[in-house]
Amino acid sequence: MRKGNAWKHRNDRSWRTPRMVEKRELLSKPQFTLDDLYITPFTRRARYDEDGRKHYVAVERNMSPTGIHVMDDYLRCLAAGRSNAGDFVARHGLTTGELAALIFILTGMKAMRFRLLYQARLADDLLRYTSLSPAEVARRSGIGSAINLYQSLRRDCNMSATERRQALRQEGDEGRFVL
C-alpha cells in the first residue's frame, strides 16, 4: 500500500464498521427496582374524614432508599428534576462511567435507561395528579421542555401530553396530591 492510503480496505468492504453496542446483563439479581428507588414529588395527600371533608396529610417520602449516599443524592436530583449527570459527577468527584456502573450494579439497568424511566414515571405522576402545563411537567420531571416531553411521549406512547393525561387520570385524581 502506498503511504496515505492505509485506511482503505483491500476489498469492497466499507471502512466504517457499524457501531457495536455493548450488550451487558447483570448476572446476579438487581438489588433495587425502579419502584424501590422512586421518590414521589408530592409532599401531601388528600384524606377525607367521616363527614366527607377533605384535608391533607404528609406523604412519607424515603429520601434515602438505598443507603448509599452517592446514589441517594442522585435519586434526589432526579426527583427534583435535575438530570444533568455532568454536574452531578463533577460535584461528587466521579466520572460518568463510575455513576453508570453504580446504577448498573444496583438496578441492572444502564444509566440512560434508568434516568429515562425515572423521568417518565415522574412525568406520568405530574400529568395524572396535577393540572400543571406540559411545559411545567417537562421542567419538573427533568425532561426539559414541552417539545421534549411531546417527542418522548410520541416516541414511547404515541400520545401527546394531553392525551397521556386523559389516559392516566381517573376520577378524583386531580388534587389528590400536593407538591
Side-chain angles (χ1 to χ4, degrees), residues 63-148:
M63 301 300 279
S64 298
T66 67
I68 300 168
H69 299 298
V70 172
M71 186 65 179
D72 290 339
D73 191 30
Y74 182 65
L75 294 171
R76 286 188 293 270
C77 286
L78 289 177
R82 296 188 315 266
S83 60
N84 187 331
D87 291 345
F88 179 81
V89 296
R91 191 171 67 243
H92 286 279
L94 302 170
T95 65
T96 53
E98 291 166 341
L99 177 62
L102 177 64
I103 292 168
F104 181 73
I105 289 167
L106 293 177
T107 67
M109 289 184 255
K110 290 194 173 198
M112 176 73 74
R113 178 167 171 69
F114 177 78
R115 182 179 57 84
L116 291 173
L117 288 173
Y118 196 100
Q119 289 173 328
R121 172 132 181 225
L122 189 55
D124 278 352
D125 279 354
L126 293 171
L127 286 170
R128 180 176 179 179
Y129 297 112
T130 70
S131 59
L132 295 174
S133 69
E136 186 64 15
V137 168
R139 188 187 67 74
R140 285 181 179 253
S141 64
I143 293 174
S145 68
I147 292 170
N148 291 353

Side-chain angles (χ1 to χ4, degrees), residues 9-98:
H9 293 285
R10 291 182 185 207
N11 56 21
D12 291 340
R13 289 182 305 158
S14 169
W15 64 274
R16 292 183 183 188
T17 58
R19 183 176 172 188
M20 300 301 291
V21 177
E22 182 183 347
K23 178 78 171 143
R24 290 176 52 191
E25 186 175 318
L26 190 63
L27 297 179
S28 60
K29 184 179 177 196
Q31 188 173 354
F32 298 100
T33 65
L34 181 65
D35 290 339
D36 297 334
L37 302 178
Y38 183 71
I39 299 172
T40 182
F42 305 112
T43 57
R44 293 178 292 158
R45 175 186 167 92
R47 291 286 173 151
Y48 295 90
D49 60 16
E50 45 291 328
D51 296 330
R53 288 181 298 215
K54 181 163 121 177
H55 63 280
Y56 288 92
V57 296
V59 171
E60 282 189 38
R61 298 182 343 156
N62 184 359
M63 301 300 279
S64 298
T66 67
I68 300 168
H69 299 298
V70 172
M71 186 65 179
D72 290 339
D73 191 30
Y74 182 65
L75 294 171
R76 286 188 293 270
C77 286
L78 289 177
R82 296 188 315 266
S83 60
N84 187 331
D87 291 345
F88 179 81
V89 296
R91 191 171 67 243
H92 286 279
L94 302 170
T95 65
T96 53
E98 291 166 341

Side-chain angles (χ1 to χ4, degrees), residues 116 120 151-159:
L116 291 173
Q151 289 173 340
S152 65
L153 285 171
R154 271 289 166 215
R155 180 190 64 230
D156 298 340
C157 308
N158 200 25
M159 299 178 181

